[in-house]
Amino acid sequence: MAPTPFAAALIKKLSVSNTIDADDRQALEELPITGRFYDPQQTIVHEYDRPSHCCLVVDGFVIRSKSAEGQRQILSIHISGEIPDLQSLHLHVMDHELSTLTGCTLGFIAHDVLRQLCVARPNLAAALWRETLVDAAIFREWIVNVGRRSSVARMAHLIVEMWERLDHIGRTRDGAFEFPVTQVELADCLGLTPVHVNRVLQQLRQDKLLHLARKECNILEKGRLEELGQFEPTYLHLSPQL
Amino acid sequence: MAPTPFAAALIKKLSVSNTIDADDRQALEELPITGRFYDPQQTIVHEYDRPSHCCLVVDGFVIRSKSAEGQRQILSIHISGEIPDLQSLHLHVMDHELSTLTGCTLGFIAHDVLRQLCVARPNLAAALWRETLVDAAIFREWIVNVGRRSSVARMAHLIVEMWERLDHIGRTRDGAFEFPVTQVELADCLGLTPVHVNRVLQQLRQDKLLHLARKECNILEKGRLEELGQFEPTYLHLSPQL
DNA sequence: CGAGTGGTTGATATCTTTCAACCCACGTGG
DNA sequence: CCACGTGGGTTGAAAGATATCAACCACTCG
């Protein structure tokens, strides 16, 4: 059986932080996944839902979010190969919303199937657990980001994080990556106002650190951006050894 | 064998959100755990450490934190029965610091032992995985807290969260609970300044919602505090059904 | 061509921080 | 038993960062 693009994305992403052997790989390739295309800005799973499937991102950007004081806070941005609602395997009620940022190709995997997989292949169970732990590590860093960094540093940190994660699955090209996000959405990631995001981006552009426009992000000075955002990649755990 | 206070705390906490049967319970009671007392403000595990044991909180308060722009951000507060560095089972390098807030009785469990337990008792593996997922859910709520809520709402939310979590393990008594935390530490939880925390607390005291003093927190009007902090308990997943 | 979405701008308001001082309770040592 | 040192809490004035409001601009799509 030829590997589906679904399994391929999942395997590629899992392999970044986990050791996946041939048998694991085969088990993943045989996983029944039903695909579906979603338009931008669509809700995939609502808060309080009790999903029976997990959602695998194959293409596009997916976000998790919840609201407070009428404003939305984006909790995480998910990219190809990730399973943003993997937690629903053990946390039955959704405590936040899952939606598409851009048009997305998604694959849905039944919870039962995943549970069986975890029993049959403990190594994959550990890998999936680990993925949720990396998720949590990123949440921690986002707490620091909105809690303790200035608006410019926040933006710099977010951009470098996205670059690092996308780079490890081969979705960057010389300092640039596709990032079709509006300033309103950036504001929702960073706990800022859209107007202020605009000004922050102008400053970063002026300082020749970053150019974000037309669904594309160009990093001009990665080193200085990292410094500005105090970016320290340990928390991404981008290697099976870490 | 009489159950140690270590196992007892762990079982009590796990039972809040998980279904633990008699065999599970026995397996937990037989777990080799070495106890140790820690003074307040001591580091248990440093950032970049590679721990070989997990740390079980039996008594006292433990925090996870990391720093940015010279300021500390507290990421979570852990209470009796929790294992704050359970993630180190699969994430080998610490991306943050673990330390005591108060004097603490801690129990240390070797990673190997926990891994064996997960293999031998899949139900406990699921329970532990679930605990790390609840952790992540709390991180998400904290992102919302620092990202989108006003200083007063932040404080209200934090206090109600602590009340709920402590209440479920029987550590509250009529609207009050032990909470030996300084204003500086609260500031580090909420992404605020100690001075501002002081003013927020004064306002909450004036409005007769809350009185926090002498290591004790008195909740005067739980309903209005919840409203003020927009507290919605789903994210705590405080029942095996959720 | 017109509507709509996303981006930009300037003026002003608000919230939170900063800084510097002061107070109070507690514990310790002379 | 008092004097002092210390940690935590409190206060006021001023500065700074970010939010708010209300326009306006520039594409793109139909």
Side-chain angles (χ1 to χ4, degrees):
Chain A
M1 192 167 76
T4 65
F6 302 103
L10 180 56
I11 291 167
K12 182 164 202 167
K13 178 66 200 330
L14 283 180
S15 303
V16 170
S17 321
N18 298 275
T19 313
I20 305 292
D21 68 26
D23 289 348
D24 292 334
R25 180 178 297 261
Q26 198 188 338
L28 292 172
E29 281 169 359
E30 284 165 1
L31 225 46
I33 305 180
T34 69
R36 180 169 158 202
F37 184 82
Y38 273 71
D39 282 329
Q41 321 288 352
Q42 301 304 304
T43 301
I44 305 166
V45 191
H46 292 86
E47 202 172 346
Y48 306 120
D49 274 0
R50 295 171 156 271
S52 58
H53 292 253
C54 284
C55 163
L56 165 69
V57 183
V58 180
D59 228 333
F61 291 86
V62 164
I63 57 169
R64 303 207 245 178
S65 64
K66 62 200 293 186
S67 292
E69 319 215 324
Q71 290 164 99
R72 178 170 75 161
Q73 174 70 46
I74 293 178
L75 305 163
S76 55
I77 302 181
H78 293 275
I79 63 177
S80 178
E82 297 184 342
I83 305 179
D85 61 349
L86 189 50
Q87 94 285 341
S88 66
L89 207 55
H90 291 108
L91 259 30
H92 309 303
V93 173
M94 289 291 289
D95 55 42
H96 60 278
E97 174 176 322
L98 189 65
S99 46
T100 58
L101 197 58
T102 63
C104 284
T105 309
L106 304 179
F108 290 88
I109 316 174
H111 283 173
D112 326 349
V113 170
L114 280 173
R115 289 208 188 86
Q116 282 163 30
L117 182 74
C118 285
V119 174
R121 303 218 54 83
N123 185 45
L124 284 178
L128 291 177
W129 188 350
R130 189 174 146 104
E131 288 298 303
T132 64
L133 293 171
V134 172
D135 248 36
I138 296 177
F139 291 141
R140 287 193 289 272
E141 189 64 43
W142 280 41
I143 294 176
V144 177
N145 212 32
V146 291
R148 286 304 189 198
R149 283 197 262 260
S150 73
S151 53
V152 189
R154 274 184 227 187
M155 178 68 75
H157 194 282
L158 174 64
I159 295 298
V160 177
E161 174 183 312
M162 289 314 298
W163 196 87
E164 285 295 327
R165 290 167 57 204
L166 288 165
D167 194 46
H168 275 79
I169 56 164
R171 301 244 175 172
T172 58
R173 48 182 192 298
D174 50 64
F177 57 90
E178 196 201 346
F179 197 39
V181 63
T182 67
Q183 295 183 354
V184 173
E185 290 154 351
L186 284 172
D188 290 342
C189 289
L190 301 173
L192 296 172
T193 280
V195 173
H196 201 62
V197 163
N198 182 287
R199 290 172 174 143
V200 167
L201 286 176
Q202 282 180 53
Q203 188 182 328
L204 290 169
R205 223 175 292 150
Q206 251 179 350
D207 295 350
K208 306 232 182 301
L209 294 176
L210 177 71
H211 192 91
L212 181 54
R214 297 223 210 87
K215 305 172 186 299
E216 266 256 336
C217 180
N218 260 278
I219 295 184
L220 305 178
E221 287 232 39
K222 179 129 180 296
R224 279 179 56 213
L225 261 191
E226 287 171 351
E227 202 180 329
L228 188 58
Q230 303 151 280
F231 183 81
E232 210 287 306
T234 310
Y235 76 98
L236 291 173
H237 299 274
L238 286 169
S239 145
Q241 275 70 255
L242 300 179
Chain B
M1 191 167 78
T4 65
F6 302 104
L10 180 56
I11 291 167
K12 181 165 204 167
K13 178 66 203 328
L14 283 180
S15 303
V16 170
S17 322
N18 298 275
T19 313
I20 304 293
D21 68 25
D23 289 348
D24 292 334
R25 179 178 298 260
Q26 198 189 337
L28 291 171
E29 280 168 0
E30 284 166 0
L31 225 45
I33 305 180
T34 70
R36 180 170 160 200
F37 183 82
Y38 273 71
D39 282 328
Q41 321 289 352
Q42 300 305 304
T43 301
I44 305 165
V45 191
H46 292 85
E47 201 174 344
Y48 307 118
D49 274 1
R50 296 170 155 270
S52 58
H53 293 253
C54 284
C55 162
L56 166 69
V57 183
V58 179
D59 230 333
F61 290 86
V62 165
I63 56 168
R64 303 206 246 178
S65 64
K66 62 200 293 184
S67 292
E69 320 217 323
Q71 291 166 98
R72 178 170 75 160
Q73 173 71 45
I74 293 180
L75 305 164
S76 55
I77 302 181
H78 292 275
I79 62 177
S80 178
E82 296 184 342
I83 305 177
D85 60 348
L86 189 49
Q87 94 285 339
S88 66
L89 206 55
H90 290 107
L91 258 32
H92 310 301
V93 172
M94 288 291 289
D95 55 41
H96 59 278
E97 173 174 323
L98 190 65
S99 48
T100 59
L101 198 58
T102 65
C104 284
T105 310
L106 304 180
F108 291 87
I109 317 173
H111 282 173
D112 326 352
V113 170
L114 280 172
R115 289 209 187 85
Q116 282 162 31
L117 182 74
C118 286
V119 174
R121 303 218 54 83
N123 185 44
L124 284 177
L128 291 177
W129 187 351
R130 190 175 145 103
E131 288 298 303
T132 63
L133 293 171
V134 172
D135 248 36
I138 296 177
F139 291 141
R140 286 193 290 272
E141 190 64 44
W142 280 41
I143 294 176
V144 177
N145 212 32
V146 291
R148 286 305 190 197
R149 283 196 263 260
S150 73
S151 54
V152 190
R154 272 183 229 189
M155 179 68 75
H157 194 282
L158 174 65
I159 295 299
V160 177
E161 173 182 312
M162 289 315 297
W163 196 86
E164 286 294 327
R165 289 167 56 202
L166 288 165
D167 193 48
H168 274 80
I169 56 164
R171 302 246 173 170
T172 59
R173 49 184 191 294
D174 50 64
F177 57 91
E178 196 201 347
F179 197 40
V181 64
T182 68
Q183 296 182 353
V184 174
E185 290 154 350
L186 284 173
D188 289 343
C189 288
L190 301 173
L192 296 172
T193 280
V195 173
H196 200 62
V197 163
N198 182 287
R199 291 172 174 144
V200 166
L201 286 176
Q202 283 180 52
Q203 188 182 327
L204 289 169
R205 223 176 290 150
Q206 252 178 349
D207 295 350
K208 306 230 182 304
L209 295 176
L210 177 71
H211 193 91
L212 182 55
R214 294 223 211 88
K215 304 174 188 294
E216 264 256 333
C217 181
N218 260 276
I219 295 185
L220 306 177
E221 289 231 40
K222 179 130 180 296
R224 278 178 56 214
L225 260 192
E226 287 172 350
E227 203 180 327
L228 188 58
Q230 305 152 280
F231 183 81
E232 211 286 309
T234 310
Y235 76 97
L236 292 173
H237 298 275
L238 286 169
S239 146
Q241 275 70 256
L242 300 179

